[in-house]
DNA sequence: TGCTAAACGAGACGGTACGTCAGGTCTTGAT
DNA sequence: ATCAAGACCTGACGTACCGTCTCGTTTAGCA
């Protein structure tokens, strides 16, 4: 008997080898119930409450089933996060680069101000301890967004809207680092006003007329 | 008989109500042994290894003594971090503001690249769950540094080296946010080269000659 | 789907609600290992050494498993005691009642002189603090023995060997109370000689020829 | 300098070396406060609540002071028990021996039915673990009472009211063992009615007319 | 009257054990 | 083969008392 093996989501931390042709199939009901349970627990009671036992109880599922679908608590949260957040923060690719950037940064900040902020914060936190989470976060979130952004920035450089000698990795850190910073440290609110000032300050620079432009203006 | 109660370190998370005039005084030897044990565990084996039991065992101290001095694991790490890191990253206040900033950002990046990076990352992570850690981190680290930085920036504005209409909170986020971002996400190295590019890009702005300066240049 | 719930050992302090049809069954190996570990600790090192941690370590079992099977340290000891002692002290039901009693009292005294004495003493001690132990001891040891004894005594009354107007509860206390007394207070040895004298004195009475038999001889 | 050392209560477990001639004398207030605190805790909350910390707190005394006066928790309870119970249960020495015994047994049973029962039960329990308590209990309570009782019984034998060939140790166990038994096991009430039946049954014997008097009637 | 030495309260100290919780794995019978 | 249920071992949690100790403070008798 031939068996067809379908890899569902190849590069993630999720266990995926779904084999057709023998045995009872994985319950998609259970799968989604677990994601929802984890998400609800995180939203309502914080990361501390997201235990495997609590997820299992709330989802009406056994712990073994959870481990059959993911090997990590963080993998669940990652999947949940990607599922509900990824689509909401794309670029418009329709105006001047500076404007595209500003609007997309606003969208990200809005997402981070809501429940997604809790989730991504929890993921960054967990990544400090757990290399698999760090890996998932990096590959399935950070780097994917950065590719998008890099394309926009490259367009800006090609069209002359941006300086020609920019290090795009640094530019992306300069634009998005402050957003993550406010989300994680919570010293000040993460609102549209902040984004607008941030975009202005970084795009236009901080220097006034009295500085020595020759110093450190990289070639 | 009146008793004099001296609050030693008023605003921290550390339990501090040390009362003079009654009872055996807290052992400073035990206190420091605990801090060292926690620090060593964190440095050598990572945050996962920093358990109360391990700290107690390594410090030659009972768990009850630890809880008598701090109510949190994170409070210990916070104190340890502040004790060994705080002094290493001040400003020189000696040259042009842009240069002062750049050098201090380098010092911070270097600290974050070493063991202090592990610690501050662990603290930021813990702060996502634990409001007391968030509080300690904010009040005893973040805001204190920002006051220093704010003075430097103000000097730059006063002397005309920096634009007059900057929002200093946003400026600080733009300068330091990227450093925390790289430290926490670890997508790219946190070296002097990054700092130099970052300082350049933010100070001079990203825009080239073809942009519309009137738009979004805030008044 | 209906589930059949079988209560295995209904009246003891042991947690017993073993449900068929779901979940991994309790490990009888672990159960017995715990009983043996507790018994060995008690026999070799005394009651002080019988800690939950020591039992768990010696049985190669986690503390949580112990608490899953019993809610009390004393419940473990009770079960162990009943398991190994109960069968050794029955009646012969073969001769005159006075003789049956004497032989069974000897058997009890011998059991109490050995390790069982340590155990039952520990249980009586624990029962002073812990109502659940008191309950288990009363229902699974004391009252069960007393039913046996009551039948023997009743036979003696029916056959005229014993006085007809005895209060059997008091008789049992008069016969067995002194045995428990010596076991617990240990002021004098608990040997066959004591049992023989005790049986003689209680059966024949203490009074000599010079007393006034009318007084206090209850009707 | 000569010091006069007075041993206050020579044979008990209490620490007694009170030295006159230097230093602050022991506080009798603290001493009694500790005894009262221990007694109240035992009476109101059971033996479990009688911790050194609770005694110290309730007595308004430091733990060190307690340990300066006694080295055992049980020593405190013993002293408290002897202080308040010992005097209430003497013999009258005024009537027939059987009557004297019966009345004194009633007095003991009454004491054991009240708070003293809790205390003596706790002491017997503690004695199972702690040899020093066993020793104190035996020497300062059990054996002292037994001396009194032995004199009464000897009078009965001398006067012919009791059989001449009794083993008085066994007689005392037969009379008092059942009382301790009911106090400790609590299977049946410890009231005057029980005492009267007990005295009757033991004094007059259990046997009826149909038994073989030659058997086991010791010479 | 002032000295001295022990007792005092307070409470920190190193320990041991407690009972609970979560993690990740394994074992049932049923689907 | 997967499912729900739930037992299993491991290891850490935070707490409670233990008996000892170190403080600064009485407090009595001797000098």
């Amino acid at each position: 008997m031939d068996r067809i093996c379908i890899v569902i989501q190849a590069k993630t931390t999720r266990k995926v080898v779904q084999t057709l042709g023998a045995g009872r199939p994985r319950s998609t009901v259970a799968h989604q119930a677990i994601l929802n349970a984890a998400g609800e627990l995180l939203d309502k009671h914080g990361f501390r409450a997201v235990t495997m036992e609590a997820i299992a109880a709330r989802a009406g599922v056994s712990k073994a089933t959870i481990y059959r679908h993911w090997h990590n608590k963080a993998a669940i949260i990652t999947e949940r996060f990607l599922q509900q957040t990824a689509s909401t923060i794309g670029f418009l690719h329709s105006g001047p680069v500076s404007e595209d950037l500003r609007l997309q940064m606003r969208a990200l900040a809005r997402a981070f101000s809501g429940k997604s902020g809790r989730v991504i914060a929890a993921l960054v936190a967990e990544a400090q301890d757990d290399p698999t989470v760090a890996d998932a976060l990096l590959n399935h979130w950070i780097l994917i967004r950065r590719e998008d952004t890099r394309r926009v920035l490259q367009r800006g450089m090609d069209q002359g809207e941006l300086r020609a000698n920019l290090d795009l990795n640094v530019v992306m850190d300069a634009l998005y680092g402050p957003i993550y910073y406010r989300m994680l440290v919570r010293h000040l609110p993460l609102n549209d006003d902040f984004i607008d000032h941030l975009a202005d300050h970084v795009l236009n620079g901080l220097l006034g007329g009295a500085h020595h432009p020759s110093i450190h203006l990289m070639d």
Side-chain angles (χ1 to χ4, degrees), chain A residues 30-42:
Chain A
H31 191 90
Q32 196 57 45
I34 292 165
L35 288 176
N36 292 339
E40 289 161 24
L41 284 168
L42 184 56

Side-chain angles (χ1 to χ4, degrees), chain A residues 71-100:
Chain A
H71 11 257
N72 265 338
K73 188 194 309 181
I76 306 172
I77 298 178
T78 307
E79 182 167 338
R80 162 80 176 179
F81 172 67
L82 297 177
Q83 200 176 65
Q84 74 174 19
T85 305
S87 61
T88 71
I89 54 167
F91 284 90
L92 293 176
H93 301 288
S94 61
V97 164
S98 62
E99 193 63 5
D100 260 17

Side-chain angles (χ1 to χ4, degrees), chain A residues 140-212:
Chain A
H140 297 292
W141 176 254
I142 298 290
L143 295 185
I144 289 175
R145 307 291 120 219
R146 284 174 81 90
E147 274 319 299
D148 263 8
T149 308
R150 189 186 307 277
R151 273 191 295 274
V152 172
L153 292 171
Q154 190 62 53
R155 176 164 62 90
M157 285 175 68
D158 294 344
Q159 297 173 346
E161 185 177 347
L162 300 184
R163 279 161 56 193
N165 56 349
L166 296 174
D167 179 329
L168 293 191
N169 279 325
V170 174
V171 172
M172 290 187 283
D173 291 341
L175 291 170
Y176 293 96
I179 299 174
Y180 282 83
Y181 182 49
R182 281 212 177 180
M183 174 194 67
L184 290 164
V185 176
R186 290 194 282 275
H187 52 296
L188 287 168
L190 192 53
N191 50 26
D192 286 356
D193 198 50
F194 166 64
I195 295 298
D196 290 344
H197 278 85
L198 175 64
D200 166 73
H201 285 19
V202 175
L203 288 169
N204 292 298
L206 307 178
L207 298 181
H211 75 288
H212 309 281

Side-chain angles (χ1 to χ4, degrees), chain A residues 91-142:
Chain A
F91 284 90
L92 293 176
H93 301 288
S94 61
V97 164
S98 62
E99 193 63 5
D100 260 17
L101 283 170
R102 195 173 61 85
L103 292 176
Q104 196 263 352
M105 285 163 70
R106 277 191 173 195
L108 184 68
R110 280 186 192 136
F112 280 5
S113 299
K115 288 176 181 177
S116 292
R118 294 285 292 272
V119 183
I120 188 75
L123 286 172
V124 173
E126 195 67 11
Q128 304 310 313
D129 270 339
D130 185 336
T132 70
V133 182
D135 191 74
L137 184 65
L138 191 59
N139 290 307
H140 297 292
W141 176 254
I142 298 290

